[in-house]
Amino acid sequence: MSALKNLFKHTFIYGLATVLPRVLTALLTRLYTGYLPDTDAFGEMTIVFSYIMIFNVLLTYGMETAFFRFFNDERHTKKTLSTSLLGLLGSTILFVIIAFTGIDALSSISDVPAQYWRWVILVIAFDTLAVIPFAYMRAQNKSMRYALIKLLNVVISTGLSVVFLVWLPQLDSINSYLPTDKIELAFIAFCIPSFLILLIVIKPYFTRWSFDTILFKKMLAYGAPVLIAGLAFAVNESFDKILLEKLLPEDIAKGEVAIYAACYKLSIGMTLFATAFRIGIEPFFFSEAKNENAQAMYAQITKAFVVLGSVALFAYVVLVDVVKVILLDGEEYWEGMNIVPLILVAYLFFGVYQTLSVWYKVTDKTRYGAYISVAGALLTIVINVLLIPKIGYLASAIATCAAYTLMMVTSYIMGRKHLAIPYDLKNILLYLVLSIALSSLYFYGFRDYFGVGSLRLYLVGAAMTVLLIGVISFREKELLLRILKRR
C-alpha cells in the first residue's frame, strides 16, 4: 500500500475515533442548552472548559509530541515510553496535591466555584495520565483500538450526562444524595469516564520502569517550544470566552459567552476534519522523515488536505442550518449564526497550518512553531481586547480567523527557508479562494435572499457544491485516484 493511501487509511480510522465521539459530545450541547437552568449556566460551564484546555496543555508540556520524536529514534525507542510515563506521572501527582491544597485560591482567581474545581482537577489529572498510553497506540499504528477506546469514553460520558441531568433529578429517593447544582453534576459525569478510560489504557505504566534522566531532559527541551505553542493554541481556542466574560457588562457577559460558545460548536464539522487529519499525520511525519521522497509526500498531503477541506467547508456551510436545529435546543442561541463561517474558515486554515508545520517538527526546530503560535495568540488577545467592547463576540470570531490565517501564512513563508517542500501553491490558493468565495456568497448572499431553510436555497447550494467538486476533480484527478486506489 502506498504511503499516501496508508496515511489516509489510518486518518480515516482516527477520523472515526474523532468524529463519532465529537458528534456525541456535540449532542451534549443540545442537552446542556436544554437542561441547564439558563444561558448564563451554559456560559459558566463553557468558561470552566476553557480553563480545562489551558491546564491540559500545561500538564502535558509537549511530552506527547516529544514522545513521537524520540520513539522513532532507534537509539531511544526502548526508554522513551517509560521515561515519558514516569515524567508525566510525577508532575501530575504534584499538580493534584498543589491544586487541592490551593483550591480556594484557584476558585478566587478564576471566579469558578470550588465545588466545580474538585471534579475538574480530577478530570485533568486522569486525562493527562492517559496521554502517553494513547500516543503509544498511535505510534504502533493501533488506530482501531485507539478509535474504540475514544468512542467508549464519550459514550460513557454522554450516557452519564443524560442520567445525571435528566433521569436522576426526577427520583426523589436519590436527590438527597446528589448535588443540586446541575453544572457540578455535569462535571461528575465527565470525571467518571475519564477514570475508567485511564484504567483501560493503564497497562504501559506496569511495564519495566526505566527513567533516563538525560533522555528526559532532551524530551523537555524538545517539548518546551511545543508547550508554548500549545498554550498559544489554547489561548486561540478558549481565552476568548474568558475575555468575553471579563470585558462585557456583567449582566450580559455569561449569556453572550453562551451564544458565542453554542454557535462556535456548530463548526464541529471542520473541527473534526482538521483534528482527525492532525492525529493521522503527526506520527506519519516522523516515520517518513528519512524517506528520500519525503518532501514530495509532504506536499501531496497538504494539497490533499486543501482539496478535501475546500469541499468540506462549502458542504458544511450549506448544511449548517440543519446542524443548528440538531445541536442547539433554543432559538435564543441562533442569533450568533453569522460567526459560523468565520470559525469554519479559521479551522480550515488551522488544518493547513498543521500540515505545513512538518518543516519545524522533523528538523527539530520546534521553537519556530512556538514563535508562530505566540504571534497568533498575541493577535487573538489584541483583537479581542480592542473590539469586544465594541462588537461583542463577533470580535472573538474575527480574532480566531485572523490568528489562524497569520499562523498559516507565516509557517509557509518561514518553512521555505528551512525545508524545500514543493507545494503546489497555485492550485492550493485557487481551491481555498474558490471555496471561501462560494461559502461567503451562499451564506451571506443567497441565504438572506431566498430565506433560511427554503427549498430554492438548498437547490442553489447543491448546484454550487457540484460546481466546486467538478472544478477540483477535473484538476486533481490523479491525486484523488492515488488516495482511493493503489497507484
Side-chain angles (χ1 to χ4, degrees), residues 470-484:
V471 171
I472 293 177
S473 298
F474 177 76
R475 298 178 67 90
E476 299 297 340
K477 180 180 179 181
E478 181 68 22
L479 176 63
L480 294 174
L481 286 175
R482 291 192 66 182
I483 294 173
L484 297 174

Side-chain angles (χ1 to χ4, degrees), residues 281-338:
I281 64 174
E282 192 167 44
F284 180 84
F285 280 164
F286 295 109
S287 63
E288 294 292 320
K290 297 180 181 179
N291 189 318
E292 62 180 11
N293 296 318
Q295 280 92 327
M297 184 65 65
Y298 296 152
Q300 286 187 329
I301 290 170
T302 297
K303 188 161 73 167
F305 178 85
V306 171
V307 164
L308 299 176
S310 296
V311 175
L313 170 67
F314 183 74
Y316 198 77
V317 167
V318 172
L319 296 173
V320 73
D321 285 306
V322 176
V323 177
K324 78 179 182 186
V325 176
I326 298 172
L327 296 187
L328 303 182
D329 187 1
E331 295 185 12
E332 65 270 23
Y333 294 98
W334 295 1
E335 69 178 68
M337 283 295 295
N338 279 349

Side-chain angles (χ1 to χ4, degrees), residues 382-412:
V382 169
I383 293 177
N384 274 291
V385 170
L386 291 178
L387 296 184
I388 281 176
K390 298 178 181 179
I391 58 176
Y393 53 71
L394 178 59
S396 298
I398 293 172
T400 301
C401 193
Y404 288 141
T405 302
L406 175 66
M407 291 168 63
M408 176 184 67
V409 173
T410 304
S411 183
Y412 171 75

Side-chain angles (χ1 to χ4, degrees), residues 186-197:
F187 286 123
I188 294 173
F190 277 103
C191 185
I192 294 173
S194 291
F195 175 68
L196 294 176
I197 294 303

Side-chain angles (χ1 to χ4, degrees), residues 25 42 56 65 82 99 106 112 121 135 236 249 254 315 333 385 450:
T25 301
F42 182 65
N56 278 337
T65 303
S82 60
L106 190 60
V112 172
I121 291 168
N236 289 334
K254 288 182 179 177
Y333 294 98
V385 170
F450 290 114

Side-chain angles (χ1 to χ4, degrees), residues 152-458:
L152 177 63
N153 184 8
V154 182
V155 167
I156 296 173
S157 61
T158 302
L160 287 177
S161 295
V162 173
V163 169
F164 280 122
L165 292 180
V166 180
W167 182 58
L168 289 183
Q170 299 177 4
L171 302 179
D172 294 334
S173 59
I174 297 179
N175 274 338
S176 58
Y177 299 99
L178 294 174
T180 56
D181 190 319
K182 288 192 174 183
I183 297 178
E184 185 176 1
L185 287 173
F187 286 123
I188 294 173
F190 277 103
C191 185
I192 294 173
S194 291
F195 175 68
L196 294 176
I197 294 303
L198 176 60
L199 292 181
I200 292 173
V201 302
I202 203 170
K203 183 179 178 180
Y205 281 96
F206 295 97
T207 57
R208 184 179 178 182
W209 283 14
S210 174
F211 187 80
D212 188 321
T213 305
I214 295 175
L215 174 60
F216 188 65
K217 289 179 180 178
K218 291 180 179 179
M219 296 180 76
L220 287 176
Y222 183 89
V226 178
L227 166 61
I228 296 172
L231 284 174
F233 173 72
V235 168
N236 289 334
E237 287 293 291
S238 61
F239 204 60
D240 50 0
K241 286 85 172 176
I242 297 171
L243 287 175
L244 281 168
E245 184 197 23
K246 302 296 182 184
L247 297 176
L248 289 175
E250 186 176 352
D251 59 328
I252 66 168
K254 288 182 179 177
E256 293 293 283
V257 171
I259 292 171
Y260 174 67
C263 289
Y264 198 104
K265 286 185 179 294
L266 293 181
S267 67
I268 181 174
M270 190 55 64
T271 307
L272 295 177
F273 178 69
T275 302
F277 211 90
R278 178 188 65 80
I279 292 173
I281 64 174
E282 192 167 44
F284 180 84
F285 280 164
F286 295 109
S287 63
E288 294 292 320
K290 297 180 181 179
N291 189 318
E292 62 180 11
N293 296 318
Q295 280 92 327
M297 184 65 65
Y298 296 152
Q300 286 187 329
I301 290 170
T302 297
K303 188 161 73 167
F305 178 85
V306 171
V307 164
L308 299 176
S310 296
V311 175
L313 170 67
F314 183 74
Y316 198 77
V317 167
V318 172
L319 296 173
V320 73
D321 285 306
V322 176
V323 177
K324 78 179 182 186
V325 176
I326 298 172
L327 296 187
L328 303 182
D329 187 1
E331 295 185 12
E332 65 270 23
Y333 294 98
W334 295 1
E335 69 178 68
M337 283 295 295
N338 279 349
I339 71 166
V340 176
L342 283 170
I343 302 301
L344 291 172
V345 172
Y347 273 106
L348 175 59
F349 286 173
F350 177 68
V352 177
Y353 165 72
Q354 289 290 328
T355 67
L356 295 174
S357 69
V358 60
W359 67 268
Y360 64 75
K361 290 183 177 178
V362 300
T363 58
D364 289 353
K365 296 177 180 178
T366 51
R367 66 183 184 278
Y368 289 107
Y371 300 154
I372 295 169
S373 298
V374 168
L378 289 175
L379 183 61
T380 295
I381 293 171
V382 169
I383 293 177
N384 274 291
V385 170
L386 291 178
L387 296 184
I388 281 176
K390 298 178 181 179
I391 58 176
Y393 53 71
L394 178 59
S396 298
I398 293 172
T400 301
C401 193
Y404 288 141
T405 302
L406 175 66
M407 291 168 63
M408 176 184 67
V409 173
T410 304
S411 183
Y412 171 75
I413 294 173
M414 294 179 68
R416 292 176 63 187
K417 300 178 181 179
H418 296 274
L419 191 64
I421 299 177
Y423 293 115
D424 183 2
L425 186 61
K426 178 182 176 180
N427 281 313
I428 286 174
L429 288 176
L430 172 64
Y431 305 144
L432 289 176
V433 170
L434 182 60
S435 178
I436 293 169
L438 290 177
S439 298
S440 301
L441 178 62
Y442 176 87
F443 192 88
Y444 298 111
F446 291 126
R447 184 171 174 268
D448 289 338
Y449 181 77
F450 290 114
V452 175
S454 69
L455 176 60
R456 287 186 297 173
L457 176 64
Y458 287 118

Side-chain angles (χ1 to χ4, degrees), residues 15-26:
L16 291 179
T18 305
V19 171
L20 294 179
R22 292 283 184 92
V23 167
L24 290 175
T25 301

